[in-house]
Amino acid sequence: MLPDLLVDPTTLLIFIAIGFAAQLVDGALGMAYGQISSTLLISMGVPPAAASAGVHTAETFTTAVSGISHVAHRNVDWRLFFRIAVPGIIGGILGAYVLTQLPADTAKPFVLAYLTALGLYLFYRGVMHQHTERQPKIVSPLGLIGGFLDAAGGGGWGAIVTSNLLVQGSNPRKTIGTVNTAEFFLTITISATFIAALGWKAFTVATSGLLIGGVVAAPFGAFIAKKVNPDTLLTFVGALVTLTSGYGLYRALT
């Protein structure tokens, strides 16, 4: 990592900017840090397993700061927290293991196709969202699926869990805070699985930049969640993820 920085220190600044922007959106919406970061890393030529490993290593720190901020602002529903965190951890271990067993060239088109579909879904949710508050009925399966796809795709925990809970009528502020806080424990598990499979090579210049930018932005997440219209941000995030991952998928298939 140090030789890369000595050759081109500006590279770190690019990843810091990506991490900062991604975490601001994630803090406001409870989603999209992994999607934005992974999509850009894969589009820049980083193998899917390495991209997911780097993003989750950085997220271990950013979600810790974000979770503390949401707890401080009383944005966490602790009953909901345990219902999504435990199955999410199980799904995360399975997803990380599956991704590390696939060759990079084989995994890349599938991961980009998943991220493209995810971007389209985010865009749709931003444009069409109408919310009526009620208690969600399907919770634990969302944690399991969200954890698996988050590890396998380098992102998706917030998009799957937060969006589906909101569709079922869960309180937006509590949902975003709870999903963000649970994500800390998920990322620790996924990062440990990747490190066990890939070694410390998962910790790169990209990881350092994402970590620094994300940690700086994380304390603002809980505040932004109260002040900014989530649907507006969600629409832009969906468009960004769809365009970048769609272009990456086109390059991978041609």
Side-chain angles (χ1 to χ4, degrees), residues 36-121:
I36 294 173
S37 301
S38 294
T39 299
L40 292 175
L41 289 180
I42 293 174
S43 297
M44 295 167 68
V46 178
S52 186
V55 169
H56 283 96
T57 302
E59 276 190 306
T60 301
F61 298 89
T62 61
T63 54
V65 179
S66 180
I68 292 171
S69 299
H70 279 293
V71 170
H73 283 82
R74 298 182 180 180
N75 290 346
V76 180
D77 179 337
W78 291 107
R79 183 172 179 271
L80 178 62
F81 170 85
F82 287 107
R83 292 177 68 190
I84 62 174
V86 175
I89 289 171
I90 296 172
I93 294 173
L94 294 175
Y97 176 78
V98 168
L99 186 60
T100 57
Q101 302 308 305
L102 293 174
D105 291 340
T106 301
K108 188 173 182 178
F110 292 100
V111 173
L112 286 169
Y114 161 69
L115 290 172
T116 301
L118 203 59
L120 289 170
Y121 179 70

Side-chain angles (χ1 to χ4, degrees), residues 13 27 54 133 173 217 237:
L13 297 178
E133 190 169 328
R173 180 174 65 87
V237 170

Side-chain angles (χ1 to χ4, degrees):
M1 182 175 70
L2 183 57
D4 294 335
L5 282 176
L6 293 176
V7 172
D8 188 6
T10 59
T11 302
L12 181 64
L13 297 178
I14 295 173
F15 292 116
I16 289 176
I18 293 173
F20 184 88
Q23 183 57 44
L24 278 181
V25 175
D26 189 271
L29 299 174
M31 66 183 77
Y33 182 90
Q35 293 97 302
I36 294 173
S37 301
S38 294
T39 299
L40 292 175
L41 289 180
I42 293 174
S43 297
M44 295 167 68
V46 178
S52 186
V55 169
H56 283 96
T57 302
E59 276 190 306
T60 301
F61 298 89
T62 61
T63 54
V65 179
S66 180
I68 292 171
S69 299
H70 279 293
V71 170
H73 283 82
R74 298 182 180 180
N75 290 346
V76 180
D77 179 337
W78 291 107
R79 183 172 179 271
L80 178 62
F81 170 85
F82 287 107
R83 292 177 68 190
I84 62 174
V86 175
I89 289 171
I90 296 172
I93 294 173
L94 294 175
Y97 176 78
V98 168
L99 186 60
T100 57
Q101 302 308 305
L102 293 174
D105 291 340
T106 301
K108 188 173 182 178
F110 292 100
V111 173
L112 286 169
Y114 161 69
L115 290 172
T116 301
L118 203 59
L120 289 170
Y121 179 70
L122 289 174
F123 184 79
Y124 171 80
R125 291 296 304 143
V127 173
M128 303 299 294
H129 181 63
Q130 294 181 351
H131 188 76
T132 302
E133 190 169 328
R134 56 186 180 275
Q135 287 295 320
K137 295 182 179 180
I138 302 175
V139 177
S140 295
L142 289 179
L144 183 67
I145 296 171
F148 180 88
L149 291 179
D150 190 86
W157 166 257
I160 293 168
V161 180
T162 300
S163 292
N164 280 280
L165 288 175
L166 291 176
V167 167
Q168 295 182 66
S170 184
N171 177 276
R173 180 174 65 87
K174 291 284 188 179
T175 299
I176 291 171
T178 303
V179 173
N180 260 306
T181 304
E183 191 174 14
F184 166 67
F185 297 92
L186 176 70
T187 54
I188 286 181
T189 304
I190 294 174
S191 296
T193 305
F194 275 124
I195 290 172
L198 300 176
W200 287 101
K201 65 181 181 180
F203 199 87
T204 63
V205 173
T207 306
S208 301
L210 294 176
L211 190 159
I212 295 169
V215 167
V216 172
F220 301 103
F223 176 79
I224 294 175
K226 296 181 179 180
K227 299 296 182 181
V228 179
N229 182 351
D231 291 340
T232 301
L233 281 175
L234 196 58
T235 301
F236 284 107
V237 170
L240 174 64
V241 173
T242 301
L243 290 172
T244 54
S245 57
Y247 176 70
L249 179 61
Y250 169 77
R251 290 187 59 186
L253 296 177
T254 57

